[in-house]
Amino acid sequence: MLVYVNGRFVPKEQATVSVFDHGFLYGDGVFEGIRAYNGRVFKLDEHIQRLYESAHAIMLEIPMTPEEMAAAVVETCRRNGLSEAYIRVVVSRGPGDLGIDPRKCPRPSVVIIADRLALYPTELYEQGMKVMTVATRRVSPAALNPRVKSLNYLNNIMARLEANLAGYAEVIMLNDEGYVAECTGDNIFIVLRGRLLTPPPHLGILQGITRDTIFERARPRAPPGEAPFSTRHDLYIADECFITGTAAEVCPVVEVDGRRVGDGRPGPITRQLMEDYRAYARSHGTPIWEEQDTRAAGGQ
Ligand code: PXG
């Protein structure tokens, strides 16, 4: 495996950053998780844009243009011969001294890893998953806006520890006011009386790219509406529920806090969206190999 580290491709054993890197010392940095299917990187421009927006919000200047970053992501897949990949882009503040002051870090570190993805068990998609709400609240946007996809994931990890203790694959986090926010690494949707609902970004969530894609794709089937879904009660009375994320894609939820959702099986709209997303993601994206026809692929 070859890993991109600060402009060079190095074998994974030599892919290292300094222990003085503030990404390591303080979680000071940003990242993206991207997927490639069938020789195309899915939603590459959207992920690169979110990466640069996250970096801008924490005043981290990425030492390359978005176009160069996109090219480096594609090149990392190509060098590793991967047509199907899970890609991790990490930009950290870089090496500094032991204080937190970012001004001591003149050179950000840029790392791109492309690996095979360990997929979730198929039973979860066929039968749906059970979730619970956890005690750990999503970090307040007033403290650190979850829209910043930062290297500081301890908030999510605290929730994941609760999930592990209780034996759940994914769990729901409320925001600091008790409204439904999102999961530890996925966004959440419900279908309620024919409308597709998901918590709005101002409640304190990562604005997922899968979430945005589902909104776009779902419009003809279930008119989207963001505002009304906000409490656990909405989850309990929902006709359908599912989670979305780059790794999970669309995964049905059939039980929340011990309450059956709908009839306890993946709902019809969820199943349609699962299939539609699957097909769409596998046929659109930035080509990794030159011989592919970009127009047929939809150009992105
Ligand atoms: N919310 C959070 C908090 C996330 O970290 C999503 C939603 C979904 O966003 P996208 O853009 O992927 O639709 C994420 C991203 C993992 C893992 O190993 C998952 C994410 C990030 C890092 C690791 O499960 N999901």
Side-chain angles (χ1 to χ4, degrees):
M1 183 201 280
L2 290 174
V3 179
Y4 177 101
V5 184
N6 297 323
R8 295 178 10 182
F9 287 95
V10 295
K12 94 180 199 197
E13 297 73 26
Q14 292 160 34
T16 54
V17 291
S18 166
V19 295
F20 293 97
D21 194 305
H22 281 205
F24 177 69
L25 288 174
Y26 298 114
D28 184 356
V30 294
F31 77 103
E32 276 299 321
I34 314 174
R35 268 179 84 175
Y37 303 88
N38 286 330
R40 294 188 189 91
V41 183
F42 185 58
K43 296 280 176 191
L44 178 58
D45 293 344
E46 286 81 353
H47 282 283
I48 299 289
Q49 187 178 349
R50 188 171 66 183
L51 179 76
Y52 278 75
E53 286 172 0
S54 292
H56 184 68
I58 68 163
M59 299 180 81
L60 170 58
E61 203 168 320
I62 300 177
M64 57 207 284
T65 66
E67 293 73 25
E68 287 165 347
M69 182 66 82
V73 166
V74 171
E75 181 68 13
T76 305
C77 296
R78 204 182 292 139
R79 294 250 185 156
N80 286 286
L82 291 172
S83 287
E84 312 277 328
Y86 185 71
I87 304 151
R88 177 60 52 92
V89 182
V90 183
V91 183
S92 70
R93 191 74 67 179
D97 65 15
L98 291 178
I100 66 164
D101 191 346
R103 289 176 301 186
K104 299 287 172 58
C105 309
R107 199 174 38 84
S109 304
V110 181
V111 171
I112 308 171
I113 308 165
D115 203 353
R116 279 165 230 283
L117 177 72
L119 291 169
Y120 289 96
T122 46
E123 305 93 74
L124 278 187
Y125 294 89
E126 283 157 12
Q127 278 144 43
M129 63 161 67
K130 298 177 177 184
V131 300
M132 63 180 271
T133 36
V134 291
T136 304
R137 296 288 171 98
R138 194 72 174 102
V139 69
S140 162
L144 170 63
N145 199 313
R147 287 181 69 183
V148 176
K149 199 164 167 59
S150 87
L151 292 182
N152 209 311
Y153 251 53
L154 264 182
N155 178 223
N156 311 60
I157 290 163
M158 293 297 276
R160 179 51 66 99
L161 289 171
E162 290 190 65
N164 294 350
L165 286 171
Y168 286 84
E170 183 54 291
V171 286
I172 297 167
M173 301 179 76
L174 307 177
N175 71 6
D176 61 343
E177 294 181 299
Y179 294 111
V180 173
E182 61 178 333
C183 301
T184 67
D186 297 287
N187 291 113
I188 188 154
F189 282 83
I190 59 171
V191 178
L192 182 60
R193 305 192 229 301
R195 293 185 84 80
L196 187 62
L197 307 173
T198 194
H202 74 260
L203 290 187
I205 59 165
L206 181 77
Q207 196 169 347
I209 286 160
T210 318
R211 174 187 180 279
D212 288 350
T213 306
I214 286 299
F215 252 147
E216 261 168 51
R217 308 285 308 163
R219 199 155 284 138
R221 286 180 207 94
E226 283 192 348
F229 167 35
S230 50
T231 66
R232 289 200 295 173
H233 185 73
D234 296 308
L235 287 168
Y236 300 159
I237 64 166
D239 301 310
E240 300 185 30
C241 181
F242 60 88
I243 60 167
T244 64
T246 297
E249 301 188 335
V250 176
C251 187
V253 170
V254 293
E255 187 191 290
V256 179
D257 294 338
R259 280 82 162 173
R260 193 185 61 235
V261 176
D263 66 0
R265 285 176 302 178
I269 292 172
T270 303
R271 280 190 274 112
Q272 274 180 23
L273 288 171
M274 256 169 74
E275 265 177 44
D276 176 84
Y277 181 87
R278 225 173 241 170
Y280 179 69
R282 279 156 184 75
S283 56
H284 292 73
T286 306
I288 296 169
W289 321 103
E290 272 157 28
E291 61 270 24
Q292 237 163 19
D293 184 353
T294 46
R295 282 160 305 168
Q300 49 158 324

